[in-house]
Amino acid sequence: MLARALLLCAALACPFLFAAANPCCSNPCQNRGVCMSAGFERYKCDCTRTGFYGENCTTPEFLTWIKRSLKPTPNTVHYILTHFKGVWTIVNKIPFLRNAIMKYVLTSRSHLIESPPTYNVHYGYKSWEAFSNLSYYTRALPPVANDCPTPMGVKGKKELPDSKDVVEKVLLRRKFIPDPQGTNMMFTFFAQHFTHQFFKTDHKRGPAFTKGLGHGVDLNHVYGETLDRQHKLRLFKDGKLKYQIIDGEMYPPTVAETQVSMIYPPHVPEHLRFAVGQELFGMVPGLMMYATIWLREHNRVCDVLRQEHPEWDDEQLFQTSRLILIGETIKIVIEDYVQHLSGYNFKLKFDPELLFSQQFQYQNRIASEFNTLYHWHPLLPDSFLINDQEYSYQQFLYNNSILLEHGLTGFVESFSRQIAGRVAGGRNVPPAVQKVAQASIDQSRQMKYQSFNEYRKRFLLRPYQSFEELTGEKDMAAELEALYGDIDAMELYPALLVEKPRPDAIFGETMVELGAPFSLKGLMGNPICSPEYWKPSTFGGEVGLEIINSASLQSLICNTVKGCPLTAFNVQDTPHPKSVTINASSSHSRLDDLNPTVLIKERSSEL
């Protein structure tokens, strides 16, 4: 009877008898080796194509040993790229050197991301379900097994600390800490706006699931996730999206005009319920600012293409304009957004042809860890300053009247001057979003993430040996040790926010070394970057390709915002120059050409 009971309990994974039954709980396989159980007490490491061998994949092959011996640490590489400005100025001017370095940056980063995808929250082993079910976020590391003795495998306490205690003791802002790189609010809202096209968690099903039909840069936050939503937003004339003119400027149409579902509280008046691709973008005017900018850019590009191709119908104008805007987005993200975050003196370059000779898969799946690490709440200020007026969070939320009052010009000028907070270093999450940070920790636990050090090893970083080494100071280190007990039990998300920043940088080492591979693989894995797509005919000829190749944050603003205010992703204090060169692909949809006395409200029949 006892033997039968033990067998039954084993089948049910009884925690009190088989708490340590899974031999893979201790993560014995190193260097990306795959652990496979072999009975209840034994395991086997699959070291195939890791460059290592041995029982735990710890012995390097000869070529691996050579590469490891010669390869500098990530912090050394970062130091070289962020110093020696004179040398990099020369390198940036020599095309073959710049191309060779950029090619290495792209391949070395993107090769760290597995393609096709491997795991999800319910499958810690290869399965067709984990590969084919697009409703899941994929995973960089499998979840901690249910039969492990601690939440992090075998290390740490039996229970994780209360997430509220973690936030209050080491994450919550005492005093605003500005970003030493000078990151501004233009960056903050761009980050939030851009990522909402692929970070679309399905909270009804749980944090491991996405509502997104795509897993990359497809601009569904501009055009809508579904065909029905897209059709409601389209004008069905000249390829354009619906719009309205208010005080001579183009803004999104209203919910009443489009019947598009948006999330607005009951108190928001009908004329301020703007309708755009992403239902959440009415939440803050900073998001609606970018939604308006991309609406204007789409309609401008349609005018350019219509002049070039008077024979094209509405559908071809719309579809080609969307491809061009995807290209513009990727170029701006790499050459402005990532360039700013990196702090590199080396000038990053968007050039899909650099990868044409490589084995590169033009597909992407969003990983839940990428979604989690992108919760950069410390970027947010204590209040928002627009044209010298201060707005609290309560005043800012769901208040599109602020956007109309100050206009896009006032927003761009003001957000270009207002500094954002530093993300790394701890204790800089605004109290206004404290519950959001706490939810990030709780959701990470639901997804059973492995420890912070396991993620460091997965991305070829040396694991930290102590909390003090993680934080670079003693006070928070002591708090963390009391909370977690063991550095190998430290959770991913809070660790990313308390990690010591790189010198004069917004992030710590791990945020960059984990985030960059996900980012670059997602950008360069876009279909438009493939050899079959990356040619003039895809974009309506040389004129469309030139719109992409000349795109920048500044040109986007100049083509869509009155007065072409000076902007960047770092704080701008310089007076606006009177003469500014803008994208040569201008059109009659430029704001300066609009008749301020005409209110246009064009509709199309719904399909």
Side-chain angles (χ1 to χ4, degrees):
M1 291 293 291
L2 178 60
R4 184 179 299 177
L6 290 173
L7 286 173
L8 178 61
C9 197
L12 297 175
C14 295
F16 58 89
L17 285 179
F18 293 94
N22 189 338
C24 292
C25 286
S26 61
N27 299 307
C29 305
Q30 303 299 300
N31 300 302
R32 299 182 69 177
V34 178
C35 183
M36 182 177 65
S37 59
F40 288 107
E41 297 181 357
R42 294 181 296 112
Y43 67 89
K44 182 175 178 60
C45 292
D46 185 350
C47 308
T48 305
R49 289 184 291 277
T50 63
F52 293 82
Y53 62 94
E55 182 181 4
N56 293 335
C57 307
T58 54
T59 306
E61 296 171 357
F62 180 70
L63 286 178
T64 303
W65 180 82
I66 294 291
K67 290 177 183 177
R68 283 166 61 101
S69 300
L70 297 176
K71 185 178 179 180
T73 67
N75 280 333
T76 300
V77 173
H78 180 80
Y79 180 85
I80 292 170
L81 289 168
T82 54
H83 291 75
F84 314 110
K85 189 172 184 179
V87 174
W88 289 114
T89 299
I90 296 172
V91 170
N92 291 334
K93 294 178 180 178
I94 304 174
F96 83 90
L97 277 179
R98 185 184 175 201
N99 287 346
I101 294 171
M102 190 65 206
K103 183 176 179 179
Y104 173 77
V105 169
L106 292 173
T107 55
S108 63
R109 296 290 196 186
S110 60
H111 286 171
L112 288 171
I113 304 302
E114 291 165 334
S115 184
T118 48
Y119 312 110
N120 63 33
V121 71
H122 291 137
Y123 293 93
Y125 49 87
K126 307 293 196 310
S127 69
W128 189 256
E129 182 70 11
F131 162 75
S132 63
N133 193 334
L134 297 179
S135 65
Y136 283 99
Y137 288 116
T138 189
R139 292 285 286 264
L141 283 179
V144 177
N146 291 327
D147 54 355
C148 291
T150 74
M152 290 296 149
V154 298
K155 298 292 184 71
K157 301 178 180 181
K158 297 292 184 182
E159 293 185 5
L160 289 167
D162 186 281
S163 57
K164 184 179 179 184
D165 287 343
V166 175
V167 172
E168 291 179 349
K169 291 181 178 179
V170 297
L171 300 186
L172 197 61
R173 177 176 292 165
R174 274 66 167 167
K175 181 181 178 182
F176 176 74
I177 305 171
D179 170 38
Q181 284 184 227
T183 301
N184 62 17
M185 298 309 296
M186 285 296 288
F187 177 93
T188 300
F189 286 115
F190 187 96
Q192 190 176 12
H193 186 272
F194 167 72
T195 58
H196 267 71
Q197 65 188 298
F198 44 78
F199 294 153
K200 303 181 75 171
T201 300
D202 187 342
H203 294 289
K204 291 182 179 178
R205 299 183 65 185
F209 294 90
T210 174
K211 293 185 292 186
L213 301 177
H215 279 257
V217 180
D218 60 5
L219 270 59
N220 67 75
H221 61 324
V222 175
Y223 301 106
E225 182 72 54
T226 65
L227 191 60
D228 176 67
R229 189 177 184 92
Q230 178 197 117
H231 283 178
K232 289 178 179 179
L233 291 170
R234 284 177 61 177
L235 187 60
F236 286 102
K237 180 182 178 183
D238 299 331
K240 293 185 177 182
L241 295 169
K242 292 178 181 176
Y243 62 95
Q244 60 176 318
I245 302 298
I246 301 174
D247 294 332
E249 297 199 42
M250 184 185 295
Y251 287 95
T254 65
V255 170
E257 291 174 303
T258 60
Q259 298 304 303
V260 166
S261 173
M262 293 288 292
I263 297 175
Y264 286 106
H267 70 268
V268 177
E270 186 175 289
H271 74 282
L272 293 176
R273 295 178 178 231
F274 294 157
V276 295
Q278 165 54 269
E279 65 180 3
L280 295 172
F281 282 178
M283 181 173 61
V284 287
L287 294 176
M288 195 57 70
M289 172 191 72
Y290 273 113
T292 304
I293 286 169
W294 285 112
L295 164 68
R296 294 177 180 182
E297 178 65 2
H298 174 89
N299 287 351
R300 185 192 74 85
V301 170
C302 285
D303 279 343
V304 174
L305 290 179
R306 186 163 57 90
Q307 292 174 1
E308 190 76 9
H309 295 283
E311 75 283 7
W312 281 9
D313 62 10
D314 168 79
E315 188 68 18
Q316 191 164 5
L317 288 168
F318 171 81
Q319 297 293 350
T320 305
S321 295
R322 180 172 184 167
L323 291 178
I324 290 172
L325 261 69
I326 290 171
E328 287 188 85
T329 298
I330 295 174
K331 187 170 189 294
I332 289 169
V333 170
I334 290 177
E335 296 192 6
D336 286 298
Y337 181 89
V338 177
Q339 180 75 57
H340 167 70
L341 281 182
S342 70
Y344 293 168
N345 288 319
F346 171 67
K347 192 174 181 182
L348 300 176
K349 181 180 183 182
F350 172 54
D351 183 357
E353 294 185 16
L354 294 175
L355 295 176
F356 285 179
S357 62
Q358 302 293 306
Q359 290 185 337
F360 193 81
Q361 297 194 16
Y362 292 95
Q363 59 180 355
N364 189 58
R365 281 282 289 279
I366 297 298
S368 60
E369 296 99 337
F370 187 36
N371 183 8
T372 297
L373 73 82
Y374 231 110
H375 289 183
W376 295 343
H377 307 124
L379 284 172
L380 292 168
D382 292 327
S383 60
F384 303 93
L385 303 174
I386 306 172
N387 287 346
D388 298 324
Q389 292 189 41
E390 184 174 4
Y391 296 93
S392 68
Y393 280 78
Q394 186 175 4
Q395 293 170 319
F396 207 60
L397 287 174
Y398 296 107
N399 193 353
N400 286 328
S401 67
I402 299 175
L403 184 62
L404 296 181
E405 178 184 349
H406 298 283
L408 257 61
T409 303
F411 263 63
V412 172
E413 290 176 341
S414 300
F415 284 162
S416 297
R417 292 192 300 265
Q418 184 173 7
I419 196 165
R422 188 183 68 187
V423 175
R427 293 177 175 162
N428 207 22
V429 171
V433 292
Q434 176 179 352
K435 291 183 178 179
V436 183
Q438 185 177 336
S440 299
I441 298 174
D442 292 336
Q443 290 169 7
S444 297
R445 294 174 180 182
Q446 286 181 256
M447 292 184 285
K448 300 182 73 66
Y449 284 160
Q450 294 190 35
S451 72
F452 180 67
N453 266 343
E454 288 302 319
Y455 280 100
R456 281 184 61 85
K457 289 191 285 185
R458 163 63 178 79
F459 286 86
L460 310 183
L461 301 172
R462 183 184 61 81
Y464 286 121
Q465 300 301 306
S466 67
F467 289 103
E468 190 169 335
E469 186 184 11
L470 166 68
T471 63
E473 53 89 75
K474 296 181 182 297
D475 179 44
M476 270 192 299
E479 292 275 19
L480 290 169
E481 186 148 18
L483 289 167
Y484 290 96
D486 192 314
I487 185 63
D488 287 327
M490 184 67 207
E491 296 179 273
L492 174 65
Y493 178 67
L496 288 166
L497 295 192
V498 302
E499 184 179 28
K500 60 181 178 292
R502 280 172 162 165
D504 299 318
I506 187 171
F507 294 141
E509 176 188 49
T510 314
M511 184 76 82
V512 175
E513 301 304 318
L514 266 67
F518 286 122
S519 179
L520 292 175
K521 175 62 173 70
L523 293 167
M524 300 307 297
N526 193 284
I528 74 158
C529 299
S530 67
E532 186 58 37
Y533 273 67
W534 188 252
K535 53 185 69 173
S537 56
T538 301
F539 309 106
E542 294 292 345
V543 65
L545 194 60
E546 176 58 22
I547 292 175
I548 297 174
N549 286 330
S550 61
S552 66
L553 177 66
Q554 185 65 71
S555 71
L556 176 67
I557 297 303
C558 284
N559 282 325
T560 58
V561 180
K562 273 187 175 179
C564 182
L566 182 70
T567 191
F569 286 135
N570 60 300
V571 172
Q572 298 293 296
D573 291 319
T574 310
H576 187 295
K578 293 298 181 183
S579 177
V580 180
T581 302
I582 64 172
N583 191 321
S585 305
S586 59
S587 76
H588 292 299
S589 63
R590 284 292 307 280
L591 295 180
D592 294 339
D593 298 329
L594 292 172
N595 185 341
T597 64
V598 179
L599 178 64
I600 303 174
K601 293 185 178 180
E602 300 185 73
R603 303 172 185 235
S604 66
S605 59
E606 312 245 323
L607 299 181

